Coordinates of all heavy atoms in Angstrom, one line a residue:
K2 N 0.8 -1.2 0.0 CA 0.0 0.0 0.0 C 0.9 1.2 0.0 O 2.0 1.2 0.5 CB -0.9 0.0 1.2 CG -0.3 0.0 2.5 CD -1.3 0.0 3.7 CE -0.6 -0.1 5.0 NZ -1.5 -0.1 6.1
N3 N 0.4 2.3 -0.7 CA 1.2 3.5 -0.7 C 0.7 4.5 0.3 O -0.5 4.6 0.6 CB 1.0 4.2 -2.1 CG 1.7 3.3 -3.1 OD1 2.8 2.8 -2.9 ND2 1.2 3.3 -4.4
P4 N 1.5 5.3 1.0 CA 1.1 6.2 2.0 C 0.4 7.4 1.4 O 0.6 7.7 0.2 CB 2.4 6.6 2.6 CG 3.5 6.4 1.6 CD 3.0 5.2 0.7
S5 N -0.5 7.9 2.1 CA -1.2 9.2 1.7 C -0.1 10.4 1.7 O 1.0 10.1 2.2 CB -2.4 9.5 2.6 OG -1.8 9.8 4.0
F6 N -0.5 11.5 1.4 CA 0.3 12.7 1.5 C 0.9 12.8 2.8 O 2.1 13.0 3.1 CB -0.4 13.9 0.9 CG 0.4 15.2 1.1 CD1 1.5 15.4 0.3 CD2 0.2 16.1 2.2 CE1 2.3 16.6 0.5 CE2 1.0 17.2 2.4 CZ 2.0 17.5 1.5
F7 N 0.0 12.8 3.9 CA 0.4 13.0 5.2 C 1.2 11.8 5.7 O 2.2 12.0 6.5 CB -0.8 13.3 6.2 CG -1.4 14.5 5.9 CD1 -2.7 14.7 5.3 CD2 -0.8 15.8 6.2 CE1 -3.3 15.9 5.0 CE2 -1.3 16.9 6.0 CZ -2.6 17.1 5.4
G8 N 0.8 10.6 5.3 CA 1.7 9.5 5.5 C 3.1 9.6 5.1 O 4.1 9.2 5.7
F9 N 3.2 10.2 3.9 CA 4.6 10.4 3.3 C 5.4 11.4 4.1 O 6.5 11.2 4.4 CB 4.4 10.9 1.9 CG 5.8 11.2 1.2 CD1 6.6 10.1 0.8 CD2 6.2 12.4 1.0 CE1 7.8 10.3 0.2 CE2 7.4 12.7 0.4 CZ 8.2 11.6 -0.1
I10 N 4.7 12.4 4.7 CA 5.4 13.4 5.5 C 5.9 12.7 6.8 O 7.0 13.0 7.3 CB 4.4 14.5 5.9 CG1 3.9 15.3 4.6 CG2 5.0 15.6 6.9 CD1 5.1 16.0 3.8
F11 N 4.9 11.8 7.3 CA 5.4 11.1 8.5 C 6.6 10.2 8.2 O 7.5 10.1 9.1 CB 4.3 10.3 9.1 CG 3.2 11.2 9.9 CD1 2.0 11.2 9.5 CD2 3.7 12.1 10.8 CE1 1.0 12.0 10.1 CE2 2.8 12.9 11.6 CZ 1.4 13.0 11.2
L12 N 6.7 9.6 7.1 CA 7.7 8.8 6.6 C 9.0 9.6 6.6 O 10.1 9.2 7.0 CB 7.6 8.2 5.3 CG 6.7 6.9 5.3 CD1 6.5 6.4 3.8 CD2 7.4 5.9 6.1
L13 N 9.0 10.9 6.0 CA 10.1 11.8 6.0 C 10.6 12.0 7.4 O 11.8 12.1 7.8 CB 9.8 13.1 5.3 CG 9.6 12.9 3.8 CD1 9.1 14.2 3.2 CD2 10.9 12.5 3.1
I14 N 9.7 12.3 8.3 CA 10.0 12.7 9.7 C 10.7 11.4 10.4 O 11.7 11.5 11.0 CB 8.8 13.1 10.5 CG1 8.3 14.5 10.0 CG2 9.1 13.2 12.0 CD1 6.9 14.9 10.5
R15 N 10.1 10.3 10.2 CA 10.6 9.0 10.7 C 12.0 8.8 10.2 O 13.0 8.3 10.9 CB 9.7 7.8 10.4 CG 8.6 7.7 11.4 CD 7.8 6.4 11.1 NE 6.7 6.2 12.0 CZ 6.8 5.6 13.1 NH1 8.0 5.1 13.6 NH2 5.7 5.4 13.9
S16 N 12.2 9.0 8.9 CA 13.5 8.9 8.3 C 14.5 9.8 9.0 O 15.6 9.3 9.3 CB 13.5 9.1 6.8 OG 14.7 9.0 6.2
Y17 N 14.2 11.0 9.2 CA 15.0 12.0 9.8 C 15.4 11.6 11.3 O 16.6 11.7 11.7 CB 14.4 13.4 9.8 CG 15.3 14.4 10.4 CD1 16.4 14.9 9.8 CD2 15.0 14.9 11.7 CE1 17.2 15.9 10.4 CE2 15.7 15.9 12.3 CZ 16.8 16.4 11.6 OH 17.6 17.3 12.2
L18 N 14.4 11.0 12.0 CA 14.5 10.7 13.4 C 15.2 9.3 13.5 O 15.5 8.9 14.7 CB 13.2 10.7 14.2 CG 12.5 12.1 14.3 CD1 11.2 11.9 14.9 CD2 13.4 12.9 15.1
G19 N 15.4 8.6 12.4 CA 16.0 7.2 12.5 C 15.0 6.1 12.9 O 15.4 5.1 13.4
T20 N 13.7 6.3 12.8 CA 12.7 5.4 13.3 C 11.9 4.9 12.1 O 10.8 4.3 12.3 CB 11.7 6.0 14.3 OG1 11.1 7.2 13.8 CG2 12.6 6.3 15.6
I21 N 12.3 5.0 10.8 CA 11.5 4.7 9.7 C 11.2 3.2 9.7 O 10.2 2.6 9.2 CB 12.2 5.0 8.3 CG1 11.2 5.0 7.2 CG2 13.4 4.2 8.1 CD1 11.7 5.6 6.0
D22 N 12.1 2.3 10.4 CA 11.8 0.9 10.4 C 10.6 0.6 11.2 O 10.1 -0.6 11.1 CB 13.1 0.3 11.0 CG 13.4 0.6 12.4 OD1 13.4 1.9 12.7 OD2 13.9 -0.2 13.2
K23 N 10.0 1.5 12.0 CA 8.9 1.2 12.7 C 7.5 1.5 12.0 O 6.5 1.2 12.4 CB 8.8 2.0 14.0 CG 10.2 1.8 14.9 CD 9.9 1.7 16.2 CE 11.2 1.6 17.1 NZ 12.2 0.8 16.6
S24 N 7.7 2.0 10.8 CA 6.5 2.3 9.9 C 5.9 1.2 9.3 O 6.6 0.2 8.9 CB 6.9 3.4 8.9 OG 5.9 3.6 8.0
N25 N 4.6 1.2 9.1 CA 3.9 0.1 8.4 C 4.2 0.1 6.9 O 4.0 -0.8 6.2 CB 2.4 0.2 8.6 CG 2.0 -0.2 9.9 OD1 2.6 -0.9 10.7 ND2 0.8 0.4 10.4
Y26 N 4.8 1.2 6.4 CA 5.1 1.4 5.0 C 6.5 1.0 4.7 O 7.0 1.1 3.5 CB 4.8 2.8 4.5 CG 3.4 3.3 4.7 CD1 3.1 4.2 5.7 CD2 2.5 2.9 3.8 CE1 1.8 4.6 5.8 CE2 1.2 3.3 4.0 CZ 0.8 4.1 4.9 OH -0.5 4.6 5.1
F27 N 7.2 0.5 5.6 CA 8.6 0.1 5.4 C 8.8 -1.3 5.7 O 8.4 -1.9 6.6 CB 9.5 1.1 6.4 CG 11.0 0.7 6.4 CD1 11.8 1.3 5.3 CD2 11.6 -0.2 7.2 CE1 13.1 1.0 5.3 CE2 12.9 -0.5 7.1 CZ 13.7 0.1 6.1
S28 N 9.7 -2.0 4.8 CA 10.1 -3.3 5.1 C 11.6 -3.4 4.7 O 12.1 -2.7 3.8 CB 9.3 -4.3 4.3 OG 9.4 -4.1 3.0
S29 N 12.3 -4.4 5.3 CA 13.8 -4.4 5.0 C 14.1 -5.9 4.9 O 13.5 -6.7 5.6 CB 14.6 -3.7 6.0 OG 14.5 -4.3 7.2
I30 N 15.2 -6.2 4.2 CA 15.8 -7.5 4.2 C 17.2 -7.3 4.2 O 17.8 -6.2 3.7 CB 15.3 -8.3 2.9 CG1 15.6 -7.6 1.5 CG2 13.8 -8.7 3.0 CD1 15.4 -8.4 0.4
K31 N 18.0 -8.3 4.7 CA 19.4 -8.2 4.6 C 20.0 -9.3 3.7 O 19.6 -10.5 3.8 CB 19.9 -8.4 6.1 CG 19.6 -7.3 7.0 CD 20.2 -7.5 8.4 CE 19.8 -6.4 9.3 NZ 20.5 -6.4 10.6
V32 N 20.8 -8.9 2.9 CA 21.4 -9.8 1.8 C 22.9 -9.3 1.6 O 23.3 -8.3 1.9 CB 20.7 -9.7 0.4 CG1 19.3 -10.1 0.6 CG2 20.7 -8.3 -0.1
H33 N 23.6 -10.4 1.1 CA 25.1 -10.0 0.8 C 25.2 -9.8 -0.6 O 26.0 -9.1 -1.1 CB 25.9 -11.3 1.2 CG 26.0 -11.6 2.7 ND1 26.7 -10.9 3.5 CD2 25.4 -12.5 3.4 CE1 26.5 -11.3 4.7 NE2 25.7 -12.3 4.7
Q34 N 24.3 -10.4 -1.5 CA 24.2 -10.1 -2.9 C 22.9 -9.9 -3.3 O 21.9 -10.4 -2.8 CB 24.8 -11.3 -3.6 CG 26.3 -11.6 -3.4 CD 26.7 -12.8 -4.1 OE1 26.0 -13.6 -4.6 NE2 28.1 -13.0 -4.2
A35 N 22.7 -9.0 -4.4 CA 21.4 -8.7 -4.9 C 21.5 -8.3 -6.4 O 22.5 -7.8 -6.8 CB 20.7 -7.6 -4.1
T36 N 20.4 -8.7 -7.1 CA 20.4 -8.2 -8.6 C 19.1 -7.4 -8.6 O 18.0 -7.9 -8.3 CB 20.4 -9.4 -9.4 OG1 21.5 -10.2 -9.2 CG2 20.3 -9.1 -10.9
I37 N 19.2 -6.3 -9.2 CA 18.0 -5.4 -9.5 C 17.9 -5.4 -11.0 O 18.7 -5.1 -11.8 CB 18.3 -3.9 -9.0 CG1 18.6 -3.9 -7.7 CG2 17.2 -3.1 -9.4 CD1 19.1 -2.5 -7.0
E38 N 16.6 -5.9 -11.4 CA 16.2 -5.9 -12.8 C 15.1 -4.9 -13.0 O 14.1 -4.8 -12.2 CB 15.7 -7.2 -13.2 CG 16.9 -8.3 -13.1 CD 16.5 -9.7 -13.4 OE1 15.3 -9.9 -13.7 OE2 17.4 -10.6 -13.4
T39 N 15.2 -4.1 -14.1 CA 14.2 -3.1 -14.3 C 14.2 -2.8 -15.9 O 15.2 -3.0 -16.5 CB 14.5 -1.8 -13.6 OG1 13.5 -0.7 -13.9 CG2 16.0 -1.2 -13.9
P40 N 13.0 -2.4 -16.4 CA 13.0 -2.0 -17.8 C 13.8 -0.8 -18.1 O 14.1 -0.5 -19.3 CB 11.5 -1.9 -18.1 CG 10.9 -1.6 -16.8 CD 11.7 -2.3 -15.8
E41 N 14.1 0.0 -17.1 CA 14.9 1.2 -17.3 C 16.3 1.0 -17.4 O 16.8 0.1 -16.7 CB 14.5 2.2 -16.2 CG 13.1 2.6 -16.1 CD 12.6 3.4 -17.3 OE1 13.3 4.2 -17.8 OE2 11.4 3.2 -17.6
T42 N 17.1 1.7 -18.1 CA 18.5 1.7 -18.1 C 19.2 3.0 -17.5 O 20.4 3.1 -17.5 CB 19.1 1.4 -19.6 OG1 18.7 2.6 -20.4 CG2 18.7 0.2 -20.1
K43 N 18.2 3.8 -17.0 CA 18.8 5.1 -16.4 C 18.5 5.1 -14.9 O 17.5 4.5 -14.5 CB 18.1 6.3 -16.9 CG 18.5 6.5 -18.4 CD 17.9 7.7 -19.0 CE 18.2 7.9 -20.5 NZ 17.6 9.0 -21.1
A44 N 19.4 5.6 -14.1 CA 19.3 5.6 -12.7 C 20.0 6.7 -12.1 O 20.8 7.5 -12.8 CB 19.8 4.3 -12.0
H45 N 19.9 6.9 -10.8 CA 20.7 8.0 -10.1 C 21.6 7.4 -9.0 O 21.1 6.5 -8.2 CB 19.7 9.0 -9.5 CG 19.1 9.8 -10.4 ND1 19.6 11.2 -10.7 CD2 18.0 9.7 -11.3 CE1 18.8 11.8 -11.6 NE2 17.9 10.9 -12.0
I46 N 22.9 7.7 -9.1 CA 23.8 7.3 -8.1 C 24.3 8.5 -7.4 O 24.9 9.4 -8.1 CB 24.9 6.4 -8.7 CG1 24.4 5.2 -9.3 CG2 25.9 6.1 -7.6 CD1 25.4 4.3 -9.9
D47 N 24.0 8.6 -6.1 CA 24.4 9.8 -5.3 C 23.8 11.1 -6.0 O 24.5 12.1 -6.0 CB 25.9 9.9 -5.2 CG 26.4 8.9 -4.2 OD1 25.7 8.4 -3.3 OD2 27.6 8.5 -4.3
G48 N 22.7 11.0 -6.6 CA 22.0 12.0 -7.2 C 22.5 12.4 -8.6 O 21.9 13.3 -9.2
E49 N 23.5 11.7 -9.1 CA 23.9 11.9 -10.4 C 23.3 10.9 -11.4 O 23.3 9.7 -11.1 CB 25.4 11.7 -10.5 CG 26.2 12.6 -9.5 CD 26.0 14.1 -10.1 OE1 25.9 14.4 -11.3 OE2 25.9 15.0 -9.2
P50 N 22.8 11.4 -12.5 CA 22.2 10.5 -13.5 C 23.2 9.6 -14.2 O 24.3 10.1 -14.5 CB 21.6 11.4 -14.6 CG 22.2 12.7 -14.4 CD 22.7 12.8 -13.0
V51 N 22.9 8.3 -14.3 CA 23.8 7.3 -14.9 C 23.0 6.4 -15.9 O 21.9 6.1 -15.6 CB 24.4 6.4 -13.8 CG1 25.2 5.3 -14.4 CG2 25.2 7.2 -12.8
T52 N 23.5 6.1 -17.0 CA 22.9 5.2 -18.0 C 23.7 3.9 -18.0 O 25.0 4.0 -18.1 CB 22.9 5.8 -19.4 OG1 22.2 7.1 -19.4 CG2 22.2 5.0 -20.4
F53 N 23.1 2.8 -17.9 CA 23.7 1.4 -17.8 C 23.5 0.8 -19.2 O 22.6 1.1 -19.9 CB 23.1 0.5 -16.7 CG 23.3 1.1 -15.4 CD1 22.3 1.8 -14.7 CD2 24.5 0.9 -14.8 CE1 22.5 2.2 -13.4 CE2 24.8 1.4 -13.5 CZ 23.7 2.0 -12.8
N54 N 24.3 -0.1 -19.5 CA 24.3 -0.8 -20.6 C 23.4 -2.0 -20.7 O 23.0 -2.7 -21.6 CB 25.7 -1.4 -21.1 CG 26.7 -0.2 -21.4 OD1 26.3 0.8 -21.8 ND2 28.0 -0.5 -21.1
S55 N 22.8 -2.3 -19.5 CA 22.0 -3.4 -19.2 C 20.7 -3.1 -18.4 O 20.9 -2.1 -17.7 CB 22.9 -4.6 -18.5 OG 22.0 -5.6 -18.1
N56 N 19.7 -4.0 -18.3 CA 18.6 -3.7 -17.5 C 18.7 -4.6 -16.2 O 17.8 -4.6 -15.4 CB 17.3 -4.3 -18.3 CG 17.0 -3.5 -19.4 OD1 17.9 -3.1 -20.3 ND2 15.8 -3.0 -19.5
S57 N 20.0 -5.0 -15.9 CA 20.2 -5.7 -14.7 C 21.5 -5.2 -14.0 O 22.4 -4.9 -14.7 CB 20.4 -7.3 -15.0 OG 20.6 -8.0 -13.9
L58 N 21.3 -5.0 -12.7 CA 22.5 -4.4 -11.9 C 22.7 -5.5 -10.8 O 21.9 -5.7 -10.0 CB 22.2 -3.1 -11.4 CG 23.2 -2.4 -10.5 CD1 24.4 -2.1 -11.4 CD2 22.6 -1.1 -10.0
A59 N 24.0 -5.9 -10.8 CA 24.3 -7.0 -9.7 C 25.1 -6.2 -8.6 O 26.0 -5.4 -9.0 CB 25.2 -8.0 -10.2
L60 N 24.7 -6.4 -7.3 CA 25.3 -5.7 -6.2 C 25.9 -6.7 -5.3 O 25.3 -7.7 -5.0 CB 24.2 -4.9 -5.5 CG 23.6 -3.8 -6.2 CD1 22.4 -3.2 -5.4 CD2 24.4 -2.7 -6.6
N61 N 27.1 -6.5 -4.8 CA 27.7 -7.1 -3.8 C 28.0 -6.2 -2.6 O 28.6 -5.2 -2.8 CB 29.1 -7.7 -4.2 CG 29.0 -8.8 -5.3 OD1 28.2 -9.7 -5.1 ND2 29.8 -8.7 -6.3
C62 N 27.4 -6.6 -1.4 CA 27.5 -5.7 -0.3 C 28.4 -6.1 0.8 O 28.5 -7.2 1.1 CB 26.1 -5.6 0.3 SG 24.8 -5.1 -0.8
Q63 N 29.2 -5.1 1.4 CA 29.9 -5.4 2.5 C 29.1 -5.3 3.8 O 28.2 -4.4 3.8 CB 31.1 -4.4 2.6 CG 32.1 -4.6 1.5 CD 33.3 -3.6 1.6 OE1 33.2 -2.7 2.3 NE2 34.2 -3.8 0.7
S64 N 29.1 -6.2 4.8 CA 28.4 -6.1 6.0 C 28.3 -4.8 6.6 O 29.4 -4.1 6.8 CB 28.9 -7.1 7.0 OG 28.5 -8.5 6.6
N65 N 27.1 -4.4 7.0 CA 26.9 -3.1 7.7 C 27.4 -1.8 7.0 O 27.7 -0.9 7.7 CB 27.5 -3.1 9.1 CG 26.9 -4.3 9.9 OD1 25.8 -4.5 9.9 ND2 27.8 -5.0 10.6
S66 N 27.5 -1.9 5.7 CA 28.1 -0.7 5.0 C 27.1 0.0 4.0 O 27.3 1.0 3.6 CB 29.3 -1.1 4.2 OG 29.1 -2.0 3.2
L67 N 25.9 -0.6 3.8 CA 25.0 0.0 2.8 C 23.5 -0.3 3.2 O 23.1 -1.3 3.7 CB 25.2 -0.8 1.5 CG 24.2 -0.3 0.3 CD1 24.5 1.1 -0.1 CD2 24.4 -1.3 -0.9
S68 N 22.7 0.9 3.3 CA 21.4 0.8 3.5 C 20.6 1.1 2.3 O 21.0 2.3 1.6 CB 21.0 1.8 4.6 OG 21.5 1.3 5.9
V69 N 19.6 0.4 1.8 CA 18.9 0.7 0.7 C 17.4 0.7 1.0 O 16.9 -0.1 1.7 CB 19.1 -0.4 -0.3 CG1 18.3 -0.2 -1.6 CG2 20.6 -0.5 -0.8
L70 N 16.8 1.7 0.5 CA 15.3 1.9 0.7 C 14.5 1.6 -0.6 O 15.0 2.1 -1.6 CB 14.9 3.3 1.2 CG 15.5 3.8 2.5 CD1 15.1 5.2 2.8 CD2 15.1 2.8 3.7
I71 N 13.6 0.8 -0.5 CA 12.9 0.4 -1.8 C 11.3 0.6 -1.6 O 10.8 0.2 -0.4 CB 13.0 -1.0 -2.1 CG1 14.5 -1.3 -2.3 CG2 12.2 -1.4 -3.3 CD1 14.9 -2.7 -2.5
N72 N 10.8 1.4 -2.4 CA 9.3 1.7 -2.3 C 8.6 0.4 -3.0 O 8.7 0.2 -4.2 CB 8.9 2.9 -3.0 CG 7.5 3.3 -3.0 OD1 6.8 2.6 -2.2 ND2 7.1 4.2 -3.7
N73 N 7.8 -0.3 -2.2 CA 7.1 -1.4 -2.7 C 5.8 -1.0 -3.4 O 4.9 -0.6 -3.0 CB 6.8 -2.4 -1.6 CG 8.1 -3.1 -1.1 OD1 9.1 -3.1 -1.8 ND2 8.0 -3.5 0.0

């Protein structure tokens, strides 16, 4: 389910306060490796636009070094 406008504002506040994990709109999983597949070949990395040669991106994560938020 998607949050309402006010629900989104509360998500921003929770994110700022470090309590977003307590929200009903948030879920998380811990993995060492992940593959992201999307029809898009454009993304943003640190706010910079990037174009990929593939529709699949493989990630290898070091423990406790990366947090990823995904809107379901």
Side-chain angles (χ1 to χ4, degrees):
K2 63 183 180 180
N3 292 326
S5 66
F6 174 76
F7 292 110
F9 181 72
I10 298 299
F11 285 123
L12 277 176
L13 288 176
I14 293 169
R15 281 188 178 269
S16 178
Y17 179 75
L18 296 175
T20 60
I21 195 168
D22 60 321
K23 305 219 183 328
S24 171
N25 292 332
Y26 298 108
F27 178 83
S28 63
S29 67
I30 57 172
K31 293 182 180 185
V32 296
H33 295 285
Q34 297 178 341
T36 301
I37 299 173
E38 295 180 356
T39 177
E41 300 294 327
T42 58
K43 295 181 181 178
H45 285 261
I46 297 178
D47 289 334
E49 297 296 322
V51 177
T52 302
F53 295 102
N54 296 330
S55 171
N56 293 49
S57 179
L58 179 63
L60 302 170
N61 292 311
C62 304
Q63 296 178 348
S64 285
N65 300 319
S66 64
L67 177 67
S68 296
V69 178
L70 300 177
I71 299 174
N72 183 9
N73 292 339

